[in-house]
Amino acid sequence: MDIETKQIYVEPGAGREHLGSFQRIEDSSINTSGEGATYSEQKAKSEETKIPQERLATMDTTKVSLGKDGLKFETSDGDFKFKLGGRIHADASFSSGDNFRDADGQRIEANDGTELRRGRMEFSGTFFRDWNFKSQVDFADNQVGVKDMFINYTGLDFIDIIVGEQKQAFSRELQESSNDMIFIERSVMNVLNESTVDRALGLNVSRRGRNWTGQVGIYGDTIAANKRKTRADEGWAVSSRVTFAPIMEESRVIHLGVAGNFREPNDAGEIADRPLQLASESTHMSNLNLISAGITDIKNIKMLGLEASGVMGPFSIGGEYTNTWIDRKNGESSLNFNGWYGEAAWTLTGESRNYKNGKFYKVIPAKNFSFTNGGMGAWELAVRYAEVDLNDNTFKGGKLSNLTIALNWYLNETVRLMAGYDKALKITDSPLTKSDGSKLDNLDTFMIRAQLAF
């Protein structure tokens, strides 16, 4: 062989290195190993080291795809799957009429500016057909935090089982992905839900039919509990949610739901290793809480949620109500809070919102936006009114109502631009005052978002 060109020759020559003699493979006395092995012995040895044909077939037919659902790998038999996805939510918010003072007389206002609201990587997949997993990590605020991280077993025909960090079974609004929400921020009713029935580590079992779902779960605290190393056992909770759609067609849906939650705090009377704090921040980045209630000595929390929504072609309406009862220790009086919202949306370009398994999903444009092909994507206009009441007799956590208007442009299934305007209509018993010492009665907030989700 010529050591530079790597060509093989049958005769010696300048620059050629002798490799050995060539012989017919039918000759059973071939010896290429130099150790006296016959050709048959060498062939048998090589067969032992070969990759099995069935594995070669699987490897050769593994499907790889890249599209609106991310990067996906799947074996030909469907037993093994892997998907890489993610989301980027880049926000900006600006407030007016926010010249306030706190309880100490210090000037305070809503922070204006920009932020990376969510920056998540999602890994999900399937092993041996019945075992699924999901791992979602968020890098927003220049910090790393776990969102979803669970194992899902689907090998039983009558029930699904999920174990790990997950959303608790409560509230349609809280169950919906941030990629699918009509508005940039969830309603002020979520003041009652986020601190108590958001993600937690637990076991959830569920079952669904064509037009109904049911689930129940038992949960501990969140995956990030006990950061302060409180010398107290963790709390626990049981949540359940049932949905029913008496009408469920492609562009006509009626959705009804009911949910319940019972939670005991840790032995120090705290939720997720800290005193329960119910507060309504005007936007995620504003650091301005128009109402706020800190609650200690909690014995248990009971919650009830009611849901009703409908879709008729490009129009959709919906609403929820949550009531929270908090029993307290050491002779402290029990507390009763509530919140609700009502919303309506109109897809100007005619598309309907999507609905599946008790959840609503974002609009998918009939024709993607394109300068070349003339598509304009999908346009959506929405309005919401919401209230939350954290007052109960002599306990004054505050009461807030607001009106939110949204305009959303879905360029395609992956990219969405959102604009929102929020007006605080009535603010009662706020810890803040105006600069002249009078009570708060107004706050205007403008929000925009650029969203990429795959």
mmCIF file of all heavy atoms in Angstrom, residues 61-89:
data_model
loop_
_atom_site.group_PDB
_atom_site.id
_atom_site.type_symbol
_atom_site.label_atom_id
_atom_site.label_comp_id
_atom_site.label_asym_id
_atom_site.label_seq_id
_atom_site.Cartn_x
_atom_site.Cartn_y
_atom_site.Cartn_z
ATOM 1 N N THR A 61 -33.499 2.319 11.005
ATOM 2 C CA THR A 61 -34.799 2.915 10.722
ATOM 3 C C THR A 61 -35.246 3.894 11.809
ATOM 4 O O THR A 61 -36.408 4.237 11.889
ATOM 5 C CB THR A 61 -35.862 1.811 10.557
ATOM 6 O OG1 THR A 61 -35.882 0.990 11.739
ATOM 7 C CG2 THR A 61 -35.556 0.946 9.354
ATOM 8 N N THR A 62 -34.352 4.307 12.687
ATOM 9 C CA THR A 62 -34.703 5.331 13.666
ATOM 10 C C THR A 62 -35.037 6.630 12.936
ATOM 11 O O THR A 62 -34.288 7.086 12.082
ATOM 12 C CB THR A 62 -33.545 5.575 14.646
ATOM 13 O OG1 THR A 62 -33.306 4.380 15.392
ATOM 14 C CG2 THR A 62 -33.884 6.703 15.607
ATOM 15 N N LYS A 63 -36.181 7.209 13.293
ATOM 16 C CA LYS A 63 -36.648 8.408 12.611
ATOM 17 C C LYS A 63 -36.217 9.652 13.392
ATOM 18 O O LYS A 63 -36.386 9.722 14.600
ATOM 19 C CB LYS A 63 -38.171 8.372 12.481
ATOM 20 C CG LYS A 63 -38.676 7.255 11.566
ATOM 21 C CD LYS A 63 -40.191 7.235 11.493
ATOM 22 C CE LYS A 63 -40.805 6.735 12.785
ATOM 23 N NZ LYS A 63 -42.274 6.581 12.676
ATOM 24 N N VAL A 64 -35.685 10.608 12.692
ATOM 25 C CA VAL A 64 -35.281 11.880 13.275
ATOM 26 C C VAL A 64 -36.031 12.983 12.553
ATOM 27 O O VAL A 64 -36.077 13.005 11.322
ATOM 28 C CB VAL A 64 -33.762 12.104 13.146
ATOM 29 C CG1 VAL A 64 -33.371 13.441 13.776
ATOM 30 C CG2 VAL A 64 -32.991 10.963 13.781
ATOM 31 N N SER A 65 -36.658 13.896 13.323
ATOM 32 C CA SER A 65 -37.397 14.988 12.704
ATOM 33 C C SER A 65 -37.157 16.274 13.465
ATOM 34 O O SER A 65 -36.940 16.276 14.674
ATOM 35 C CB SER A 65 -38.896 14.671 12.663
ATOM 36 O OG SER A 65 -39.420 14.531 13.970
ATOM 37 N N LEU A 66 -37.228 17.369 12.761
ATOM 38 C CA LEU A 66 -37.068 18.691 13.347
ATOM 39 C C LEU A 66 -38.167 19.577 12.798
ATOM 40 O O LEU A 66 -38.295 19.730 11.581
ATOM 41 C CB LEU A 66 -35.690 19.269 13.005
ATOM 42 C CG LEU A 66 -35.426 20.704 13.495
ATOM 43 C CD1 LEU A 66 -35.472 20.765 15.013
ATOM 44 C CD2 LEU A 66 -34.085 21.201 12.975
ATOM 45 N N GLY A 67 -38.990 20.109 13.680
ATOM 46 C CA GLY A 67 -40.104 20.931 13.223
ATOM 47 C C GLY A 67 -40.691 21.741 14.348
ATOM 48 O O GLY A 67 -40.031 22.034 15.345
ATOM 49 N N LYS A 68 -41.975 22.076 14.219
ATOM 50 C CA LYS A 68 -42.653 22.932 15.191
ATOM 51 C C LYS A 68 -42.711 22.310 16.579
ATOM 52 O O LYS A 68 -42.901 23.017 17.575
ATOM 53 C CB LYS A 68 -44.072 23.236 14.712
ATOM 54 C CG LYS A 68 -44.933 22.007 14.478
ATOM 55 C CD LYS A 68 -46.294 22.375 13.942
ATOM 56 C CE LYS A 68 -47.135 21.142 13.636
ATOM 57 N NZ LYS A 68 -47.348 20.287 14.785
ATOM 58 N N ASP A 69 -42.585 20.981 16.677
ATOM 59 C CA ASP A 69 -42.612 20.308 17.973
ATOM 60 C C ASP A 69 -41.221 20.057 18.538
ATOM 61 O O ASP A 69 -41.064 19.322 19.514
ATOM 62 C CB ASP A 69 -43.363 18.972 17.857
ATOM 63 C CG ASP A 69 -44.837 19.171 17.555
ATOM 64 O OD1 ASP A 69 -45.406 20.163 18.060
ATOM 65 O OD2 ASP A 69 -45.425 18.362 16.816
ATOM 66 N N GLY A 70 -40.195 20.633 17.943
ATOM 67 C CA GLY A 70 -38.842 20.475 18.435
ATOM 68 C C GLY A 70 -38.075 19.387 17.697
ATOM 69 O O GLY A 70 -38.466 18.938 16.616
ATOM 70 N N LEU A 71 -36.981 18.945 18.307
ATOM 71 C CA LEU A 71 -36.146 17.889 17.746
ATOM 72 C C LEU A 71 -36.601 16.550 18.318
ATOM 73 O O LEU A 71 -36.620 16.362 19.537
ATOM 74 C CB LEU A 71 -34.676 18.138 18.093
ATOM 75 C CG LEU A 71 -33.656 17.099 17.624
ATOM 76 C CD1 LEU A 71 -33.642 16.998 16.106
ATOM 77 C CD2 LEU A 71 -32.272 17.429 18.159
ATOM 78 N N LYS A 72 -36.968 15.602 17.444
ATOM 79 C CA LYS A 72 -37.564 14.347 17.893
ATOM 80 C C LYS A 72 -36.813 13.159 17.310
ATOM 81 O O LYS A 72 -36.413 13.164 16.134
ATOM 82 C CB LYS A 72 -39.037 14.272 17.486
ATOM 83 C CG LYS A 72 -39.877 15.399 18.056
ATOM 84 C CD LYS A 72 -41.260 15.470 17.438
ATOM 85 C CE LYS A 72 -42.117 14.296 17.834
ATOM 86 N NZ LYS A 72 -43.499 14.452 17.310
ATOM 87 N N PHE A 73 -36.633 12.139 18.139
ATOM 88 C CA PHE A 73 -36.053 10.862 17.730
ATOM 89 C C PHE A 73 -37.057 9.767 18.085
ATOM 90 O O PHE A 73 -37.632 9.779 19.171
ATOM 91 C CB PHE A 73 -34.733 10.590 18.440
ATOM 92 C CG PHE A 73 -33.681 11.643 18.240
ATOM 93 C CD1 PHE A 73 -33.662 12.785 19.017
ATOM 94 C CD2 PHE A 73 -32.701 11.487 17.263
ATOM 95 C CE1 PHE A 73 -32.697 13.765 18.856
ATOM 96 C CE2 PHE A 73 -31.726 12.457 17.091
ATOM 97 C CZ PHE A 73 -31.718 13.592 17.886
ATOM 98 N N GLU A 74 -37.223 8.795 17.186
ATOM 99 C CA GLU A 74 -38.176 7.720 17.460
ATOM 100 C C GLU A 74 -37.766 6.450 16.712
ATOM 101 O O GLU A 74 -37.439 6.502 15.526
ATOM 102 C CB GLU A 74 -39.580 8.134 17.030
ATOM 103 C CG GLU A 74 -40.644 7.086 17.302
ATOM 104 C CD GLU A 74 -42.033 7.540 16.896
ATOM 105 O OE1 GLU A 74 -42.198 8.726 16.537
ATOM 106 O OE2 GLU A 74 -42.964 6.702 16.925
ATOM 107 N N THR A 75 -37.769 5.320 17.423
ATOM 108 C CA THR A 75 -37.480 4.050 16.772
ATOM 109 C C THR A 75 -38.658 3.619 15.925
ATOM 110 O O THR A 75 -39.794 4.055 16.134
ATOM 111 C CB THR A 75 -37.165 2.965 17.812
ATOM 112 O OG1 THR A 75 -38.278 2.837 18.706
ATOM 113 C CG2 THR A 75 -35.924 3.317 18.612
ATOM 114 N N SER A 76 -38.408 2.724 14.962
ATOM 115 C CA SER A 76 -39.440 2.325 14.015
ATOM 116 C C SER A 76 -40.623 1.650 14.689
ATOM 117 O O SER A 76 -41.753 1.754 14.225
ATOM 118 C CB SER A 76 -38.847 1.384 12.960
ATOM 119 O OG SER A 76 -38.273 0.244 13.599
ATOM 120 N N ASP A 77 -40.386 0.961 15.820
ATOM 121 C CA ASP A 77 -41.483 0.292 16.502
ATOM 122 C C ASP A 77 -42.203 1.202 17.493
ATOM 123 O O ASP A 77 -43.201 0.802 18.107
ATOM 124 C CB ASP A 77 -40.986 -0.958 17.232
ATOM 125 C CG ASP A 77 -39.868 -0.662 18.226
ATOM 126 O OD1 ASP A 77 -39.623 0.536 18.507
ATOM 127 O OD2 ASP A 77 -39.247 -1.622 18.720
ATOM 128 N N GLY A 78 -41.730 2.428 17.668
ATOM 129 C CA GLY A 78 -42.382 3.378 18.557
ATOM 130 C C GLY A 78 -42.145 3.138 20.029
ATOM 131 O O GLY A 78 -42.714 3.840 20.881
ATOM 132 N N ASP A 79 -41.285 2.175 20.376
ATOM 133 C CA ASP A 79 -41.052 1.864 21.793
ATOM 134 C C ASP A 79 -40.165 2.895 22.487
ATOM 135 O O ASP A 79 -40.236 3.048 23.713
ATOM 136 C CB ASP A 79 -40.403 0.486 21.913
ATOM 137 C CG ASP A 79 -41.418 -0.636 21.740
ATOM 138 O OD1 ASP A 79 -42.618 -0.309 21.617
ATOM 139 O OD2 ASP A 79 -41.019 -1.811 21.717
ATOM 140 N N PHE A 80 -39.330 3.581 21.730
ATOM 141 C CA PHE A 80 -38.403 4.542 22.316
ATOM 142 C C PHE A 80 -38.518 5.871 21.572
ATOM 143 O O PHE A 80 -38.458 5.916 20.340
ATOM 144 C CB PHE A 80 -36.961 4.027 22.254
ATOM 145 C CG PHE A 80 -36.741 2.769 23.023
ATOM 146 C CD1 PHE A 80 -36.956 1.530 22.431
ATOM 147 C CD2 PHE A 80 -36.337 2.812 24.348
ATOM 148 C CE1 PHE A 80 -36.763 0.363 23.144
ATOM 149 C CE2 PHE A 80 -36.138 1.651 25.065
ATOM 150 C CZ PHE A 80 -36.354 0.421 24.467
ATOM 151 N N LYS A 81 -38.687 6.944 22.347
ATOM 152 C CA LYS A 81 -38.819 8.275 21.773
ATOM 153 C C LYS A 81 -38.045 9.271 22.632
ATOM 154 O O LYS A 81 -37.884 9.071 23.834
ATOM 155 C CB LYS A 81 -40.292 8.707 21.694
ATOM 156 C CG LYS A 81 -41.194 7.781 20.910
ATOM 157 C CD LYS A 81 -42.643 8.242 20.992
ATOM 158 C CE LYS A 81 -43.564 7.266 20.295
ATOM 159 N NZ LYS A 81 -44.993 7.680 20.416
ATOM 160 N N PHE A 82 -37.622 10.328 21.998
ATOM 161 C CA PHE A 82 -36.963 11.416 22.730
ATOM 162 C C PHE A 82 -37.270 12.716 22.020
ATOM 163 O O PHE A 82 -37.264 12.783 20.781
ATOM 164 C CB PHE A 82 -35.449 11.216 22.803
ATOM 165 C CG PHE A 82 -34.734 12.336 23.510
ATOM 166 C CD1 PHE A 82 -34.718 12.392 24.901
ATOM 167 C CD2 PHE A 82 -34.111 13.343 22.798
ATOM 168 C CE1 PHE A 82 -34.082 13.436 25.561
ATOM 169 C CE2 PHE A 82 -33.471 14.385 23.443
ATOM 170 C CZ PHE A 82 -33.451 14.431 24.838
ATOM 171 N N LYS A 83 -37.557 13.749 22.808
ATOM 172 C CA LYS A 83 -37.873 15.058 22.227
ATOM 173 C C LYS A 83 -37.146 16.139 23.002
ATOM 174 O O LYS A 83 -37.097 16.118 24.235
ATOM 175 C CB LYS A 83 -39.380 15.314 22.285
ATOM 176 C CG LYS A 83 -39.773 16.721 21.849
ATOM 177 C CD LYS A 83 -41.248 16.999 22.085
ATOM 178 C CE LYS A 83 -41.581 18.467 21.889
ATOM 179 N NZ LYS A 83 -42.997 18.774 22.188
ATOM 180 N N LEU A 84 -36.592 17.098 22.280
ATOM 181 C CA LEU A 84 -35.975 18.289 22.857
ATOM 182 C C LEU A 84 -36.800 19.489 22.429
ATOM 183 O O LEU A 84 -36.967 19.746 21.239
ATOM 184 C CB LEU A 84 -34.529 18.440 22.373
ATOM 185 C CG LEU A 84 -33.824 19.748 22.748
ATOM 186 C CD1 LEU A 84 -33.728 19.905 24.255
ATOM 187 C CD2 LEU A 84 -32.438 19.807 22.111
ATOM 188 N N GLY A 85 -37.363 20.197 23.405
ATOM 189 C CA GLY A 85 -38.157 21.384 23.123
ATOM 190 C C GLY A 85 -37.768 22.518 24.045
ATOM 191 O O GLY A 85 -36.825 22.416 24.831
ATOM 192 N N GLY A 86 -38.513 23.605 23.985
ATOM 193 C CA GLY A 86 -38.210 24.725 24.855
ATOM 194 C C GLY A 86 -39.124 25.894 24.599
ATOM 195 O O GLY A 86 -40.019 25.849 23.754
ATOM 196 N N ARG A 87 -38.915 26.962 25.361
ATOM 197 C CA ARG A 87 -39.698 28.183 25.184
ATOM 198 C C ARG A 87 -38.867 29.382 25.605
ATOM 199 O O ARG A 87 -38.028 29.296 26.506
ATOM 200 C CB ARG A 87 -40.996 28.127 25.985
ATOM 201 C CG ARG A 87 -40.834 28.243 27.482
ATOM 202 C CD ARG A 87 -42.134 27.989 28.232
ATOM 203 N NE ARG A 87 -42.539 26.600 28.150
ATOM 204 C CZ ARG A 87 -43.607 26.093 28.753
ATOM 205 N NH1 ARG A 87 -44.396 26.885 29.458
ATOM 206 N NH2 ARG A 87 -43.899 24.824 28.645
ATOM 207 N N ILE A 88 -39.128 30.509 24.934
ATOM 208 C CA ILE A 88 -38.537 31.793 25.288
ATOM 209 C C ILE A 88 -39.665 32.807 25.342
ATOM 210 O O ILE A 88 -40.385 32.993 24.355
ATOM 211 C CB ILE A 88 -37.474 32.235 24.267
ATOM 212 C CG1 ILE A 88 -36.318 31.227 24.208
ATOM 213 C CG2 ILE A 88 -36.948 33.624 24.607
ATOM 214 C CD1 ILE A 88 -35.326 31.506 23.097
ATOM 215 N N HIS A 89 -39.838 33.444 26.498
ATOM 216 C CA HIS A 89 -40.811 34.521 26.662
ATOM 217 C C HIS A 89 -40.040 35.782 27.064
ATOM 218 O O HIS A 89 -39.541 35.877 28.186
ATOM 219 C CB HIS A 89 -41.834 34.182 27.738
ATOM 220 C CG HIS A 89 -42.712 33.019 27.413
ATOM 221 N ND1 HIS A 89 -43.681 32.551 28.267
ATOM 222 C CD2 HIS A 89 -42.782 32.224 26.311
ATOM 223 C CE1 HIS A 89 -44.311 31.518 27.725
ATOM 224 N NE2 HIS A 89 -43.762 31.305 26.536
#
